[in-house]
Amino acid sequence: MKILEPLTVGGLATSNRVWMAPLTRSRAQMPGNIPRALNAEYYAQRADAQRGSGLIISEATPVSPTGHGYYATPGIHTDEQEAGWKTVTDAVHERGGKIVCQLWHVGRVSHTALQPNGDPPIAPNGRNSKSKTYIDATMERVDASTPRKLEVDELPGIVRDFAQAASRCVRAGFDGVEIHGANTYLLDQFTRDGMNDMPEPYGGPLENRLRFPLEVAQACADAIGAGRVGYRISPLSDHHDAIDSDPGATFSVLAASLGRMGLAFLHAVETWDRSKIDPRVETVIPAIARSFKDAGGGAYVANGDYTVELANQQIESDWCDAVAFGKMWISNPDFTERIRRGGPYNQWNRDTFYTGTEVGYTDYPALADA
Ligand SMILES: Cc1cc2nc3c(=O)[nH]c(=O)nc-3n(C[C@H](O)[C@H](O)[C@H](O)COP(=O)(O)O)c2cc1C
């Protein structure tokens, strides 16, 4: 099966095309949002050179204190967090795996309780996201706070936060980074015409709306090399009240610009549910992938409610070069070995996606112990 064949993208040599999608699990050590031994064990279980993922994309990882939007998500902006991540990447590499860090700023999807000095979250608009988040160990859902609209002169500082986080990632032993431009967090909020209320030169026409996300991508590429940087988008998502009048055009132009930078991969959430898939996927996604590659970008990585069979078929038909799986990796630490054997697969338990213990985290059985 082609899905089991190696794939080299930019500076990343991956042993198979069964990548692990970024998955927030809210199990960092608190206070401090620091990765801990339990997190290292979880990632190492999924990193085995034979049985594990060709490339693990870490859970979304805030680049600065204002980048946090959910309780107990591990950051990459303090020395303690960097040291915590080093234990994770060491454990992954010992098992023969590879791991990149998903760099995150939530923008308006946050709460004053998680922000420095109890300030409002920051965003390219001052409108409430109508999203829910959780702000303490009870994991109870609360409404996101109404954001404060950013000033243009604050943006260079945020670009710097991303670049410094990328450099910290390399020091922490990551093989690269994925910039989180998806799911209507900060970069996506700038990109979409229904969400960006910034003045010139960061708001208005598409070229302006892409300026900040592209500055972030360029700064990360300058910091660690474009061949170690990927970018995630979700062009047809309606998550967190996402609005864009023409996602096909918006994200094709973004993809071409990222391709010109020579980024290693572009990763798209095509859908969360294939039974309700947006029919535009059939045309919009190939156009975006082509724009990225024609401009000089590396691989196109697909994600979203894929079965193993569909994933392999899409790789063989050149729709994509690799597929990132989310929930399958939550419940199958040896997912690649299971694919090789034709299954069976453990079912995931949604109730333990975000609860803070080892239950539903490191206790899913591998085949040998099943
Ligand atoms: C528990 C959970 C946490 C997630 N956390 C993230 C995240 O941190 N960053 C991100 O870009 N997507 C995140 N996602 C979305 C997944 O990466 C993926 O796009 C989605 O689960 C669909 O893929 P799947 O059908 O293979 O699970 C999360 C999804 C789940 C279920």
Side-chain angles (χ1 to χ4, degrees), residues 21-24 60 102 180 183 232 272 303 305 326-327 353-354:
L23 293 159
T24 292
Q102 192 188 43
H180 196 344
N183 300 344
R232 192 174 215 217
W272 282 60
N303 164 257
D305 200 16
K327 296 180 289 294
F353 278 176
Y354 305 107

Side-chain angles (χ1 to χ4, degrees), residues 52 108 110 167 267 318 338 359:
R108 69 178 185 166
S110 185
S167 298
H267 178 189
D318 283 334
R338 289 171 187 265
V359 177

Side-chain angles (χ1 to χ4, degrees), residues 1-9 12-20 46-56 96-98 315 321-323 325 329 335-337 339-340:
M1 289 171 94
K2 198 161 175 197
I3 196 169
L4 297 175
E5 291 176 9
L7 173 69
T8 295
V9 298
L12 294 163
T14 72
S15 58
N16 60 54
R17 295 151 192 255
V18 192
W19 290 12
M20 180 169 160
R46 287 151 182 80
D48 187 89
Q50 301 304 317
R51 301 152 65 95
S53 173
L55 184 68
I56 295 171
K98 293 242 159 75
I315 292 170
D321 301 288
V323 171
F325 292 86
W329 275 116
F335 184 36
T336 299
E337 175 65 16
I339 293 174
R340 203 171 276 120

Side-chain angles (χ1 to χ4, degrees), residues 268-292:
V269 185
E270 297 173 351
T271 180
W272 282 60
D273 182 349
R274 280 189 189 264
S275 70
K276 297 181 197 148
I277 200 163
D278 186 324
R280 291 176 295 175
V281 162
E282 288 298 326
T283 49
V284 164
I285 293 292
I288 292 171
R290 213 170 27 250
S291 300
F292 179 65

